[in-house]
């Protein structure tokens, strides 16, 4: 047995101390296996790996190759084999080791033979796949960007179209609003002061009218009132007639009856209702005047001349009232004649190209001329309607008393009294000129006719709610 007290010699390899070759050989020579299992090597492990794992010897110092056999190795042969291996030249041993490593038989550092070339190939393959993934991702991002750009372009195009359409609609709405404003406010008369006292403006509701026909006051906006359908207008008018009929019966029996105040209020409300429809719904007012109110629809049947004469007899106008009514008639038809001649002159200015007789007139000139003519014709028609409403208010809210209005509403029912027909029958009774002669009156200029009607317009400013139940003298 070897003396173990001696320090074994060591050799330095790559900075690590390993036992020397002689020490390792001595240990092998002393090892005497007694049974094959003492030198058992697993079948899955090669002798080379077994020795390398057992002794952990670097390949640069020594390499040992064992021959796998079923019998036990002879100790002398093993010692001679190791001695001969250790006695060989170091250079030859290192060369043999390098040859075996280069041939790929075994490697003490790695269990599998991986060369530098293989590593380079693996790296290149990994880089190629990485570049492919990068290119695929770049192409996907570019595709998404192109789609998003196309969508953004389409949305901007649609936005531009919508903005252009919105601007056009705003201009059309503004033009329509201006046209309505011009026809209803600038050109169309807006009622007498008494009507504005009755139709008061409330916050957020506009002009409103209060009706006291029922136990509880009913507040209705002028816009809602003017847009009532014909059946509802007929019912409202019928309610006024019923109330006024009761008042007339009581007032006829007792002139000092307290019902007289109710008569004044309800006649004022009835005429206020009629003026609201006339101002804000001209077409509805025309239909309302042609309707039979007990059935709520338009019929061809109307009041006869005899009915108007009987109505005049019941109302019993005073001499002052008759003078005022006949004077208003002359002023009214004089103004209507002036407007008719003005309209006739405007129509004569229509270019021949509009009638298809001339083809060489510039379309731009036609557009400008016709636009101006159309605006003047519209103003003419609006002024004509304003004169009509003014004459209506002057007769039924200025010249007549509240009692006479109540008689007219009750005894003309289920029809509406037309002022033109009423005054024409009155004019026939007093030998006044015909309507045609007044329309074609050339004794005055159109400017004089316009100035004369201004007198009637100023007369309307004297009408108030407090004095509306009385006759307001015009002359």
């Amino acid at each position: 047995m070897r003396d173990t007290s001696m320090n074994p010699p060591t050799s330095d390899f790559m900075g690590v101390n390993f036992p020397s070759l002689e020490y390792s050989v001595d240990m092998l020579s002393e090892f005497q296996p007694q049974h094959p299992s003492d030198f058992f090597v697993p079948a899955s492990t090669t002798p080379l790996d077994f020795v390398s794992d057992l002794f952990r010897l670097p390949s640069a110092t020594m390499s040992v190759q064992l021959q796998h056999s079923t019998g036990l190795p002879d100790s002398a042969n093993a010692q001679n084999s190791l001695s001969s291996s250790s006695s060989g030249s170091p250079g030859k041993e290192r060369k043999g080791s390098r040859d075996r490593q280069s041939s790929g038989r075994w490697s003490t550092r790695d269990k599998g033979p991986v060369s530098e070339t293989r590593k380079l190939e693996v790296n290149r393959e990994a880089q190629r796949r990485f570049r492919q993934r990068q290119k695929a991702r770049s192409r996907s991002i570019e595709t998404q960007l192109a789609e998003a750009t196309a969508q953004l372009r389409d949305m901007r195009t649609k936005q531009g179209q919508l903005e252009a359409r919105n601007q056009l609609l705003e201009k059309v709405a503004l033009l329509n609003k201006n046209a309505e404003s011009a026809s209803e406010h600038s050109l169309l008369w807006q009622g007498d002061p008494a009507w504005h006292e009755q139709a008061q403006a409330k916050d957020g509701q506009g002009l409103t009218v209060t009706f006291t026909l029922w136990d509880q006051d009913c507040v209705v906006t002028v816009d809602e009132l003017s847009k009532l359908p014909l059946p509802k207008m007929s019912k409202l008018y019928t309610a006024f007639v019923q109330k006024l009929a009761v008042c007339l019966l009581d007032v006829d029996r007792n002139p000092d009856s307290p019902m007289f105040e109710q008569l004044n209020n309800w006649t004022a409300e009835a005429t206020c209702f009629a003026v609201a429809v006339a101002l804000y719904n001209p077409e509805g007012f025309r239909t309302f005047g042609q309707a039979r109110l007990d059935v709520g629809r338009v019929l061809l049947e109307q009041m006869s001349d005899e009915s108007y004469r009987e109505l005049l007899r019941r109302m019993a106008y005073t001499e002052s009232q008759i003078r005022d009514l006949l004077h208003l008639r002359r002023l009214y038809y004089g103004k209507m004649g002036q407007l008719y001649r003005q309209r006739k002159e405007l129509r004569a200015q229509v270019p021949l190209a509009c009638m298809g007789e001339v083809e060489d007139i510039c379309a731009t000139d036609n557009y400008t001329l016709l636009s101006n003519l159309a605006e003047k014709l519209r103003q003419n028609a609006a002024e004509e309607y304003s004169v009509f409403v003014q004459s209506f208010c002057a007769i039924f809210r200025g010249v007549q008393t509240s009692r006479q209005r109540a008689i007219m509403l009750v005894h003309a029912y289920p029809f509406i009294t037309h002022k033109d027909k009423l005054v024409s029958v009155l004019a026939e009774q007093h030998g006044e000129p015909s309507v045609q002669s007044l329309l074609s009156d050339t004794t005055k200029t159109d400017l004089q006719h316009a100035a004369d009607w201004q007198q009637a317009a100023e007369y309307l400013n004297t009408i108030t709610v407090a004095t509306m139940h009385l006759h307001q003298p015009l002359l």
Side-chain angles (χ1 to χ4, degrees), residues 116-151:
E116 293 295 332
T117 303
R118 178 60 180 169
K119 291 182 179 180
L120 293 176
E121 291 177 356
V122 172
N123 291 339
R124 283 194 293 267
E125 180 67 17
Q127 293 174 1
R128 184 180 65 81
R129 293 180 180 177
F130 176 76
R131 288 192 296 269
Q132 288 178 351
R133 290 194 299 270
Q134 289 292 95
K135 289 181 180 180
R137 184 181 179 187
S138 298
R139 284 193 294 268
S140 176
I141 293 175
E142 290 175 358
T143 302
Q144 294 177 4
L145 178 61
E147 293 176 355
T149 303
Q151 292 178 358

Side-chain angles (χ1 to χ4, degrees), residues 41-57 64-66 105-112:
V41 179
S44 60
T45 307
T46 61
L48 178 62
D49 295 333
F50 174 75
V51 176
S52 176
D53 292 340
L54 180 61
F55 298 103
R56 306 292 182 184
L57 299 179
V64 178
Q65 181 176 4
L66 301 176
R105 291 178 61 187
W106 63 282
S107 172
T108 59
R109 187 179 300 274
D110 300 313
K111 293 183 179 182

Side-chain angles (χ1 to χ4, degrees), residues 162-383:
L162 292 175
E163 288 178 352
R165 179 178 177 82
N166 186 43
Q167 292 177 358
L168 180 61
L169 291 175
E170 288 179 353
K171 290 181 180 179
V172 171
L174 180 61
L175 291 174
N176 292 338
K177 183 178 180 180
N178 291 339
E180 293 176 359
S181 177
S183 62
E184 295 181 2
H185 299 280
S186 300
L187 301 176
L188 197 62
W189 180 68
Q190 288 300 292
D192 54 71
W195 185 82
H196 284 284
E197 289 184 44
Q198 294 174 293
Q200 298 179 356
K202 290 189 176 182
D203 296 339
Q205 296 183 355
L207 295 176
T208 59
V209 178
T210 302
F211 294 133
T212 59
L213 290 171
W214 304 278
D215 296 336
Q216 185 176 3
D217 293 349
C218 178
V219 180
V220 185
T221 64
V222 172
D223 185 65
E224 294 174 347
L225 185 63
S226 62
K227 293 179 180 178
L228 286 175
L230 181 59
K232 291 187 176 182
M233 285 187 183
S234 301
K235 289 182 179 180
L236 179 60
Y237 190 88
T238 301
F240 277 115
V241 171
Q242 292 173 347
K243 293 289 186 179
L244 291 174
V246 174
C247 290
L248 285 175
L249 290 175
D250 191 77
V251 169
D252 288 342
R253 290 193 300 266
N254 181 15
D256 297 330
S257 172
M259 294 292 292
F260 192 77
E261 183 178 357
Q262 289 292 336
L263 185 144
N264 293 337
N265 292 334
W266 287 335
T267 54
E269 292 176 7
T271 56
C272 177
F273 158 60
V275 172
V277 177
L279 290 176
Y280 289 87
N281 188 5
E283 183 62 25
F285 185 74
R286 182 185 67 82
T287 304
F288 181 66
Q290 297 174 349
R292 185 181 173 105
L293 302 177
D294 56 347
V295 295
R297 53 195 177 93
V298 177
L299 297 176
L300 296 177
E301 183 183 3
Q302 295 294 327
M303 289 179 61
S304 63
D305 292 350
E306 183 62 28
S307 299
Y308 277 103
R309 283 191 285 268
E310 178 65 20
L311 191 59
L312 287 172
R313 187 187 64 79
R314 289 179 178 277
M315 289 189 292
Y317 287 134
T318 65
E319 291 295 328
S320 177
Q321 286 178 315
I322 293 175
R323 286 195 303 270
D324 289 344
L325 289 173
L326 296 178
H327 182 66
L328 273 173
R329 177 177 179 266
R330 288 189 291 268
L331 296 180
Y332 173 73
Y333 285 112
K335 177 64 175 177
M336 285 294 185
Q338 176 252 319
L339 293 173
Y340 169 76
R341 289 184 290 273
Q342 183 184 34
R343 186 163 56 251
K344 186 177 180 181
E345 293 177 359
L346 292 173
R347 290 176 178 174
Q349 298 178 19
V350 176
L352 298 177
C354 297
M355 296 179 284
E357 299 181 5
V358 180
E359 299 180 357
D360 58 349
I361 296 181
C362 179
T364 305
D365 296 338
N366 265 342
Y367 174 79
T368 304
L369 179 59
L370 289 176
S371 298
N372 294 334
L373 289 176
E375 178 62 22
K376 291 179 180 180
L377 287 170
R378 188 189 64 79
Q379 292 178 2
N380 180 275
E383 186 176 2

